[in-house]
């Protein structure tokens, strides 16, 4: 092309790339998180939005929700790693010493407090700002879910006349969501910080005792909230997409034992009147990866 241009009056303009493929994670579709919350939802979305403008609008809102959820998930992994590493160092005497009945510790509080606060912020953003926007775009008004008890009950009453499945689901989900929202508000508006870790000596061995959030060890608290949030994002989004589908289409749930190990998606499009058992939105307490 360079030679052609130099030997003629033609101007060669190299074709510019039309796509940018950006790596966002080291995970593939073999993990339920990626297969279900990324791949699965996008495939169902393709059955609902055929206009590029509508598809892009949904994708932007959902992406914002997943970014915050992914940040919360990464933080939970970091909290788990930090606690396991510190426990090991304490128990082996690397990070803790007993001298004259006094325990000297190389503390973990600063990092643990930061990660805990980061989790509350990311998880809260995914739930309140992310999912509220996604639901609204799909025609579901769930704003009262984040309000005081009286407003919540009135909102559920209105919602139950149109979306009884969703109304029942939100009533059950309110328990953990309220904990998260209250804790996030404490972090952002009241300066709450995680209490210090404590230590005790038994038979000349030192053991770390995890600090608690709302009466629960911090690792258990964040793992439970993350698990509930993953279920909420998937199930409320899929329910909203189902309400937007053509009347001839619906959603079926793939049994756990039938899911492809390479991409264990939970939901798939199905004919509304084809005889396939159709999925219903019902609150459950199963772990995300077991649902």
């Amino acid at each position: 092309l360079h030679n052609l241009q130099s030997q003629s009056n033609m101007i060669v303009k190299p074709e510019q790339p039309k796509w940018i493929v950006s790596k966002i994670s080291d995970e593939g579709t073999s993990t339920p998180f990626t297969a279900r919350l990324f791949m699965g939802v996008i495939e169902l979305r393709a059955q609902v939005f055929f206009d590029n403008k509508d598809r892009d609008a949904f994708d932007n809102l959902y992406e914002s929700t997943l970014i915050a959820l992914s940040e919360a998930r990464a933080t939970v992994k970091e909290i788990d790693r930090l606690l396991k590493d510190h426990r090991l160092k304490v128990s082996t005497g690397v990070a803790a010493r007993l001298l004259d009945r006094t325990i000297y510790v190389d503390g973990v509080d600063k990092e643990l407090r930061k990660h805990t606060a980061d989790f509350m912020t990311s998880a809260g953003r995914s739930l309140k700002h992310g999912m509220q926007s996604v639901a609204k775009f799909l025609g579901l008004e769930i704003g009262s879910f984040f309000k005081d008890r009286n407003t919540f009950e009135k909102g559920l009453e209105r919602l139950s006349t149109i979306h009884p499945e969703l109304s029942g689901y939100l009533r059950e989900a309110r328990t953990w969501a309220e904990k998260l929202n209250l804790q996030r508000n404490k972090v952002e508006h009241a300066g709450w910080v995680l209490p210090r870790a404590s230590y005790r000596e038994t038979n000349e061995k030192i053991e770390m005792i995890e600090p608690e959030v709302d009466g629960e060890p911090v690792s258990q608290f964040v793992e439970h909230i993350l698990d509930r949030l993953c279920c909420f994002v998937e199930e409320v989004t899929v329910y909203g997409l189902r309400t937007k589908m053509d009347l001839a289409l619906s959603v079926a749930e793939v049994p756990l034992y039938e899911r492809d190990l390479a991409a264990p998606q939970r939901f798939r499009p199905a004919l509304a009147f084809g005889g396939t058992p159709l999925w219903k939105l019902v609150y459950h307490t199963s772990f995300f990866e077991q649902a």
Side-chain angles (χ1 to χ4, degrees), residues 115-136:
H115 291 318
T116 302
D118 288 347
F119 171 80
M120 302 300 179
T121 300
S122 299
R125 189 169 71 249
S126 178
L127 176 63
K128 186 173 182 180
H129 297 293
M131 280 308 298
Q132 187 171 192
S133 298
V134 169
K136 187 174 183 179

Side-chain angles (χ1 to χ4, degrees), residues 127 142-147 152 170-171 173-174 176-177 181 232:
L127 176 63
I142 64 171
S144 63
F145 182 66
F146 308 99
K147 303 295 184 180
F152 171 63
L170 294 181
R171 180 176 294 282
R174 169 84 175 192
W176 63 264
N181 287 326
F232 188 93

Side-chain angles (χ1 to χ4, degrees), residues 199-219:
Y199 303 84
R200 64 188 174 197
E201 179 266 332
T202 305
N203 297 326
E204 298 186 352
K205 286 190 176 183
I206 302 170
E207 176 188 2
M208 185 200 77
I209 302 172
E210 275 188 48
E212 295 185 348
V213 179
D214 197 28
E216 192 174 4
V218 59
S219 62

Side-chain angles (χ1 to χ4, degrees), residues 137-258:
F137 184 79
L138 295 173
L140 307 175
E141 182 50 64
I142 64 171
S144 63
F145 182 66
F146 308 99
K147 303 295 184 180
D148 62 81
R149 176 63 61 175
N150 188 48
T151 305
F152 171 63
E153 292 295 339
K154 290 180 179 178
L156 279 193
E157 186 176 351
R158 291 191 298 270
L159 189 65
S160 64
T161 62
I162 308 172
H163 300 287
E165 286 180 48
L166 180 60
S167 175
Y169 185 91
L170 294 181
R171 180 176 294 282
E172 297 295 331
R174 169 84 175 192
T175 303
W176 63 264
E178 190 171 35
K179 285 185 179 181
L180 172 59
N181 287 326
L182 289 174
Q183 208 60 50
R184 182 195 181 197
N185 288 336
K186 288 180 182 179
V187 169
E188 296 185 350
H189 305 298
W192 179 89
V193 294
L194 184 71
R196 291 182 180 277
S198 57
Y199 303 84
R200 64 188 174 197
E201 179 266 332
T202 305
N203 297 326
E204 298 186 352
K205 286 190 176 183
I206 302 170
E207 176 188 2
M208 185 200 77
I209 302 172
E210 275 188 48
E212 295 185 348
V213 179
D214 197 28
E216 192 174 4
V218 59
S219 62
Q220 294 180 23
F221 180 89
V222 297
E223 286 170 3
H224 174 71
I225 294 295
L226 175 66
D227 183 79
R228 295 294 85 206
L229 182 55
C230 287
C231 291
F232 188 93
V233 170
E234 179 184 41
E235 290 161 355
V236 173
T237 301
V238 170
Y239 176 84
L241 288 171
R242 191 188 69 183
T243 65
K244 292 290 185 181
M245 287 181 174
D246 185 278
L247 292 177
L249 288 178
S250 189
V251 174
E253 182 174 11
V254 180
L256 195 60
Y257 61 89
E258 289 184 7

